[in-house]
């Protein structure tokens, strides 16, 4: 040591990490610039060219509606899809992404009509072509808007060439798919009750309906029995209960349970018939003071009081409004219904075949046909004898006042002496249109259906060469029903999570025939000609081909009455045929997307079937199912091999997001505040297979996670400054055990991540990546080895080995992180390799299998447990300032706890302490060392003669540096 009392400043001899990569991310400012560079470089096209000859992985994008800004559900959904494609591309596969939009249907029509209403325009007065043009323009506006928002989220895809269901080619393909059903005889026109929106004046699919809790009017109505094989019943009154008073004007029968026991009870000056099991509840609802139990006990043997349900066969009652004559004059028969229960009501059910599925089936089986009394807008038709066009009290049947206890229906029933009870207090769940939020009804109208249970449903091409897919053996032959084929396809499909199989399976198993028709204007027309007089639709392949060609040229506007003769050609008289004006259910549109996206050749990288469909769990009854049914009917199998579903995003308190509650999270604002990578990290960190949460505090936690990941990459960049693999790299066999252990940990992580990709378990993927960087690297490896990095000689093998492993870590981790933090990974990569192109063109970093060392991993795992005990024992001394850092601690550990192969010097280095000794105690003991502190590396060692002097290693390194200075 020099006699000069001024100690030297050794900072310029310490090799601190050096990088220009900023600690502060500034993602909202940086990300748009990175995105612009990708677009200028045509990164997506580069990736497709690089993977052109690789095995394909096809994710088919489910089309969102083109109406409104991206919301947080869109963000989660598209991040997951992007993660799938990016990880598959990373694995070296060709995984294209073609985004798409659903452009037809009620949501867009409804928005255009809203604009009309604001301008006081009547949609019905607008020419159909003009209206469709406005719908098309509206959809295109939101396609363009959402496209830019999704691109901003870092979603990589063929954004310049998305698929739109309103493209003429797509519309023609949808028509062609419909014609496959028609030509094989798998369409029929029938009248059945379907979900109907009186506000939107159209039939709705189940997926367009949501259930809300409401309070309705409940009424008990008496039907006087006028005929019966049981003479004592004539003159009594059968009591029915309903929460839809508006269906009473269309009543045509009463249903009873054959196995239900009924009783005749006195009420006021009359006698009423109800189910015995419900008698108490009924009489309480009617305000009767009859002691039912006592009355029935006294009359337990009286056969005029007790009636078996099956004995009611042949009984008839008259409608309460029979005095109106006509429709109401005919007595209403009692019919046996196996759906009649004694769970609620009276045990007798009034039947209106126009407005209920059970009602329709039972009445149709007994020769009773629907009356079509309710018009499209929900009002009774003009000529209806009760509350029809001549009655100024007529309103829509979903009008609450119309159904109220003091409304016209109840008032007329009360005046007729048939209303026994009415109250507006019945709480229950009721279907509503998800678009208008208005109540829907069951309404019997002529519609077009695909049968679910018709045998021989699939008419497939005869040879494998005619198939539009390559399965070597051609399509499976199948003579089963559509329901059977779909259920078999479900059994062969992979579902993630597995519970999705039962969900969609139970829906398909119990669903009715598929209603294809909608009474709207904006959509693909049902391009059928129906023969006048017979009602049969024309099955002519040449006619169909002309229609398809016209739609391909002009879109849906081609289906015009003016071209009727042109389409029919010389073989058919136009006067003999009606052109159908209904449009297709929008779910049929989206159910056909596999045909024009995967099979058309417009996107050469795509192929049929898709490897994966990925959407929210509500799509089990929506797109997953419509695609399954369409493809099963036309191709004999599902259009997908696997289905991945995610849950819904809830507010941070677990409640559903709602603008009225003020708890929504706008992803556009999140990107403005935090950046897109924060949304991506959130989406890939939650258990998306279940309902999950987002909120300000949750996003702050995600931002903190991001900061730690960013700092890991910043450290790696700084620590690898100037690293030259050719001259500096060390073979793994020549590395210290700690470096070899970290290579083992990296290989283990690699396996976890690969399995997570295979399982689409991105929560596990992200968690494993974050845990590795935080626990294995930052809190352990980097911490232990900073002394080697900062203070060892640049050419020392231990420092070189450390930097070699850091380089391996960088090469692997940057690729692992790239699908998650797409912008940050590019920033990190270009900082180190500014001329190497995009990180997103790279492939999964190969790791030698021989780096796995289970024995070494077991030893180090035990050592790290002991290290935690040491850290815990040091902490109290740090808190009371006995020591300032662990480097000042002399530690004694239980000898039995030390794994084999570690020297005390090794342990001191790994624990970052002054010394480690072994004792016979069962616990760790700590004291402050008496050794002096090296003025360069700050380690406290016996060889340092006084504080500020150098240890042997530092003296040697400094001397080398001084000699070349």
């Amino acid at each position: 040591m020099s006699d000069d009392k001024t100690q030297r400043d050794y900072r310029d001899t310490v090799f601190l990490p050096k990088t220009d990569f900023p600690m502060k991310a500034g993602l909202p400012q940086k990300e748009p610039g990175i995105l612009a560079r990708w677009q200028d470089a045509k990164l997506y096209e580069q990736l497709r060219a690089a993977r052109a000859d690789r095995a394909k992985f096809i994710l088919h994008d489910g089309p969102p509606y083109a109406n409104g800004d991206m919301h947080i559900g869109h963000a989660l959904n598209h991040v997951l899809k992007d993660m799938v494609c990016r990880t598959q591309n990373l694995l070296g596969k060709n995984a294209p992404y073609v985004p798409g939009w659903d452009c037809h249907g009620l949501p867009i029509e409804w928005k255009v009509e809203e604009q009309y209403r604001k301008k006081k325009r009547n949609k019905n007065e607008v020419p159909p072509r003009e209206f469709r043009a406005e719908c098309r323009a509206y959809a295109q506006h939101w396609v363009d808007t959402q496209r830019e928002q999704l691109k901003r989220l870092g979603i990589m895809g063929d954004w310049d060439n998305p698929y739109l269901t309103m493209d003429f080619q797509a519309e023609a393909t949808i028509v062609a798919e419909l014609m496959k059903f028609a030509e094989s005889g798998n369409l029929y026109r029938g009248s059945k009750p379907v979900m109907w929106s009186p506000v939107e004046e159209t039939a709705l699919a189940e997926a367009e309906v949501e259930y809300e809790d409401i309070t309705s009017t409940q009424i008990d109505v008496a039907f006087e029995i006028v005929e019966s094989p049981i003479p004592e019943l004539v003159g009594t009154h059968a009591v029915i209960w309903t929460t839809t008073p508006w269906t009473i004007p269309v009543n045509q029968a009463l249903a009873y349970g054959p196995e239900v026991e009924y009783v005749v009870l006195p009420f006021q000056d009359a006698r009423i018939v109800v189910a015995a099991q419900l008698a108490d509840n009924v009489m309480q609802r009617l305000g009767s003071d009859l002691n039912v139990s006592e009355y029935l006990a006294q009359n337990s043997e009286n056969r005029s009081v007790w009636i078996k349900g099956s004995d009611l066969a042949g009984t008839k009652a008259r409608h309460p409004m029979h005095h109106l004559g006509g429709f109401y004059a005919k007595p209403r028969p009692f019919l046996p219904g196996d759906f009649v229960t004694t769970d609620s009501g009276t045990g007798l059910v009034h039947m209106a075949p126009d407005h209920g599925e059970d009602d329709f089936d039972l009445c149709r089986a007994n020769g009773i046909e629907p009356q079509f009394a309710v018009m499209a807008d929900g009002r009774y038709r003009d000529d209806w004898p009760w509350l029809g066009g001549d009655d100024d009290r007529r309103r829509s049947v979903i009008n609450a006042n119309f159904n109220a206890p003091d409304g016209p229906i109840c008032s007329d029933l009360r005046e007729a002496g048939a209303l026994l009870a009415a109250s507006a207090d019945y709480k229950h769940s009721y279907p509503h249109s998800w678009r208008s939020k208005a109540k829907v009804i069951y309404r019997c109208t002529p519609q077009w259906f695909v049968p679910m249970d018709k045998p021989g449903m699939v008419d497939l091409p005869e040879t494998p060469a005619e198939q539009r897919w390559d399965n070597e053996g051609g399509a499976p032959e199948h003579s089963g029903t559509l329901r059977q084929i779909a259920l078999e396809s479900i059994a062969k499909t992979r579902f993630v999570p597995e519970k999705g199989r039962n969900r969609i399976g139970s829906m398909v198993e119990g669903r009715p025939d598929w209603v294809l028709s909608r009474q709207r204007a904006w959509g693909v027309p049902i391009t059928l000609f129906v023969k006048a007089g017979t009602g049969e639709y024309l099955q002519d392949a040449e006619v169909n081909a002309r229609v398809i060609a016209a739609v391909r040229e002009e879109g849906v506007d081609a289906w015009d009455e003016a071209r009727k003769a042109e389409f029919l050609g010389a073989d058919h008289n136009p006067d003999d045929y009606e052109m159908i004006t209904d449009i297709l259910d929008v779910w049929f549109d989206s159910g056909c997307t596999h045909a024009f996206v995967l099979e058309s050749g417009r996107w050469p990288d795509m192929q049929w079937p898709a490897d994966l469909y990925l959407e929210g769990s509500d799509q089990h009854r929506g797109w997953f199912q419509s695609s399954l049914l369409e493809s099963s009917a036309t191709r004999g199998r599902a259009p997908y091999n696997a289905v991945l579903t995610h849950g819904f995003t809830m507010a941070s308190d677990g409640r559903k997001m709602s603008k009225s509650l003020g708890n929504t999270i706008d992803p556009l604002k999140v990107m403005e505040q935090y950046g897109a990578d924060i949304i991506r990290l959130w989406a890939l960190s939650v258990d998306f297979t279940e309902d999950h949460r987002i909120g300000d505090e949750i996003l702050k936690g995600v931002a903190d996670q991001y900061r730690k990941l960013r700092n890991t990459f910043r450290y790696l960049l700084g620590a690898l400054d100037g690293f030259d693999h050719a001259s500096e790299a060390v073979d793994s066999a020549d590395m210290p055990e700690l470096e070899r252990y970290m290579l083992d940990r990296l290989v283990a992580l690699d396996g976890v991540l690969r399995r997570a990709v295979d399982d689409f378990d991105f929560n596990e993927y992200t968690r494993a990546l974050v845990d590795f960087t935080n626990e294995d690297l930052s809190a352990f490896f980097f911490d232990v080895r900073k002394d080697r990095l900062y203070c060892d000689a640049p050419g020392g093998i231990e420092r070189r080995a450390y930097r070699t492993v850091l380089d391996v870590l960088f090469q692997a981790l940057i690729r692992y992180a790239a699908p998650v933090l797409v912008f940050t990974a590019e920033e990190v990569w270009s900082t180190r390799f500014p001329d190497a192109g995009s990180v997103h063109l790279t492939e999964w970093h190969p790791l030698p299998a021989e780096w796995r060392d289970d024995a070494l991993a077991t030893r180090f795992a035990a050592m790290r447990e002991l290290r935690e005990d040491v850290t815990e024992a040091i902490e109290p001394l740090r808190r009371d300032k006995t020591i300032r850092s662990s480097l000042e601690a002399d530690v004694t550990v239980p000898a039995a706890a030390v794994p084999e192969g570690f020297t005390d010097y090794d342990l001191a280095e790994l624990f970052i302490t002054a010394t480690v000794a072994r004792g016979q105690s069962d616990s760790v003991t700590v004291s402050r060392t008496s050794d002096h502190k090296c003025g360069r590396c700050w380690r406290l060692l016996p060889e340092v003669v006084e504080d500020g002097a150098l240890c042997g290693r530092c003296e040697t390194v400094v001397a080398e540096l001084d000699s070349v200075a």
Side-chain angles (χ1 to χ4, degrees), residues 16-77:
L16 295 175
K18 181 181 177 183
T19 180
D20 293 330
F21 187 78
M23 183 180 297
K24 185 175 180 180
L27 293 177
Q29 294 74 40
K30 288 178 183 173
E31 288 174 344
I34 295 172
L35 186 61
R37 290 199 295 275
W38 288 340
Q39 292 173 338
D40 291 344
K42 295 188 178 300
L43 179 61
Y44 179 78
E45 290 77 4
Q46 286 188 56
L47 185 57
R48 295 283 65 75
R51 301 289 192 276
D53 59 347
R54 304 294 185 85
K56 292 184 178 182
F57 183 95
I58 305 299
L59 179 146
H60 178 34
D61 185 31
Y65 275 123
N67 65 331
D69 288 310
M70 173 179 75
H71 55 66
I72 196 65
H74 285 132
L76 175 107
N77 176 270

Side-chain angles (χ1 to χ4, degrees), residues 109 113 116 121-127 131 519-521:
E109 257 195 86
E113 288 184 33
Y116 282 180
R121 294 185 73 189
N122 185 343
K123 172 219 169 182
N124 295 327
E125 297 172 359
V126 179
F131 179 72
Q519 290 65 47
R520 302 297 293 185

Side-chain angles (χ1 to χ4, degrees), residues 65 106-107 194-198 200 202-213 429-443 503 507 518 585-587 618-619 621-622 648 656:
Y65 275 123
L106 187 57
V194 295
M195 287 283 196
W196 184 272
S197 170
E200 292 135 326
T202 186
L204 297 179
E206 181 66 27
E208 297 171 305
V209 172
E210 59 188 11
Y211 286 79
E212 300 290 342
D213 290 337
S429 181
Y430 192 87
H432 292 68
S433 165
W434 73 275
R435 176 53 46 190
S436 68
K437 308 304 179 185
K439 290 192 289 187
V440 302
I441 62 174
Y442 271 103
R443 176 173 178 254
R503 181 173 168 82
M507 290 176 176
R518 296 292 183 270
D585 170 18
V586 72
W587 291 107
D618 58 333
Q619 295 307 312
R621 66 172 183 165
F648 292 98
K656 184 178 179 180

Side-chain angles (χ1 to χ4, degrees), residues 590-602:
S590 58
C592 294
T593 57
H594 68 93
F596 59 84
V597 177
L598 306 184
E599 294 182 330
S600 68
R602 179 173 168 182

Side-chain angles (χ1 to χ4, degrees), residues 4 25 47 58 63 141 234 253 296-297 332 365 450 494 498 503 551 555 566 578 660 814 820 826-827 891 942 962:
D4 188 350
L47 185 57
I58 305 299
H141 164 75
V234 175
L296 293 179
R332 273 43 180 169
V450 171
R494 177 187 178 193
E498 175 61 26
R503 181 173 168 82
V551 174
E566 173 193 342
E578 166 203 0
S660 62
I814 193 63
V820 182
E826 192 73 290
E827 182 189 3
V891 176
D962 287 346

Side-chain angles (χ1 to χ4, degrees), residues 618-932:
D618 58 333
Q619 295 307 312
H620 288 116
R621 66 172 183 165
W623 187 55
F624 296 150
Q625 190 173 153
S626 65
S627 300
L628 169 70
L629 296 180
E630 201 285 331
S631 184
S632 293
T634 57
R635 291 154 176 80
R637 59 154 289 173
Y640 42 71
N641 294 327
V643 168
L644 174 62
T645 52
H646 60 78
F648 292 98
T649 303
M650 315 298 282
S652 56
D653 60 2
R655 289 193 295 175
K656 184 178 179 180
M657 286 192 185
S658 166
K659 289 182 180 178
S660 62
L661 294 175
N663 62 354
T664 59
I665 295 292
D666 183 349
L668 303 176
K669 291 182 179 178
V670 174
M671 286 193 284
E672 289 176 5
Q673 181 179 355
Y674 290 106
D677 272 354
I678 301 302
I679 292 182
R680 296 180 66 96
L681 185 56
W682 161 78
L684 297 168
S685 297
V686 298
D687 180 4
F688 61 82
T689 62
E690 302 289 346
D691 290 350
H692 45 272
R693 303 182 183 190
I694 191 171
D696 291 337
E697 290 304 313
I698 292 171
L699 286 170
K700 287 177 184 177
V702 173
D704 187 58
Q705 260 190 353
Y706 169 84
R707 178 184 57 79
K708 293 176 181 178
L709 283 167
R710 184 178 182 88
N711 284 342
T712 296
F713 282 113
R714 185 171 186 271
Y715 175 85
L716 286 169
L717 288 169
L720 286 167
D721 179 50
F723 178 79
D724 178 62
H725 189 274
S727 62
E728 194 171 337
V730 175
D731 188 87
S732 61
D734 299 324
M735 291 180 180
E737 282 192 334
L738 177 57
E739 277 65 27
R740 288 191 281 118
Y741 167 66
M742 291 314 301
L743 293 177
D744 170 89
R745 291 298 80 212
L746 181 62
V747 174
L749 172 68
D750 189 87
V752 169
L753 298 185
R754 286 178 183 270
R755 286 191 296 276
V757 170
D758 289 344
D759 295 339
F760 307 116
D761 190 350
F762 302 131
N763 166 262
E764 170 65 11
Y765 184 103
T766 306
R767 186 196 61 76
L769 180 60
V770 169
D771 287 352
F772 180 80
T773 57
N774 289 342
E775 297 171 13
D776 289 295
L777 298 186
S778 296
F780 177 59
F781 188 47
F782 294 170
D783 197 27
V784 171
R785 280 297 189 240
K786 63 178 181 283
D787 175 70
R788 292 287 186 191
L789 178 69
Y790 299 171
C791 300
D792 273 14
I797 190 169
E798 290 90 349
R799 188 175 189 274
R800 287 170 47 216
Y802 178 53
R803 296 233 297 172
T804 300
V805 172
L806 292 184
D807 180 57
V808 173
L809 287 168
F810 180 91
Q811 296 287 355
L813 293 177
I814 193 63
R815 289 165 170 82
Y816 299 155
V820 182
L821 306 174
V822 296
F823 294 102
T824 302
E826 192 73 290
E827 182 189 3
V828 171
W829 180 261
S830 61
T831 298
R832 188 175 183 202
F833 304 118
D835 302 319
S838 173
V839 67
H840 300 295
L841 296 174
T842 63
E843 295 185 28
W844 199 282
H845 195 60
L847 301 176
E850 58 267 24
W851 284 357
R852 279 308 302 263
D853 189 332
D854 292 339
L856 184 67
T858 300
R859 286 178 51 230
F860 265 81
M863 180 277 297
R864 289 179 70 176
E865 288 184 12
L866 181 58
R867 187 175 188 264
E868 290 181 8
D869 293 340
V870 169
T871 301
E872 186 177 341
I874 290 172
E875 190 55 34
L877 279 73
R878 195 198 299 266
R879 280 200 303 269
D880 64 18
K881 297 185 171 39
T882 301
I883 61 175
R884 288 170 295 179
S885 80
S886 62
L887 285 170
E888 298 176 353
D890 283 336
V891 176
T892 302
V893 298
V898 178
E900 183 181 349
F902 291 102
T903 67
D904 291 349
Y905 181 84
D906 293 335
L907 295 176
E909 185 176 35
L910 292 165
F911 297 166
I912 317 178
T913 59
T915 63
V916 172
R918 307 179 196 219
Q920 299 309 307
S921 171
D922 291 335
S923 60
V924 176
T925 59
V926 181
S927 62
R928 194 189 190 288
T929 185
S930 59
D931 293 333
H932 294 292

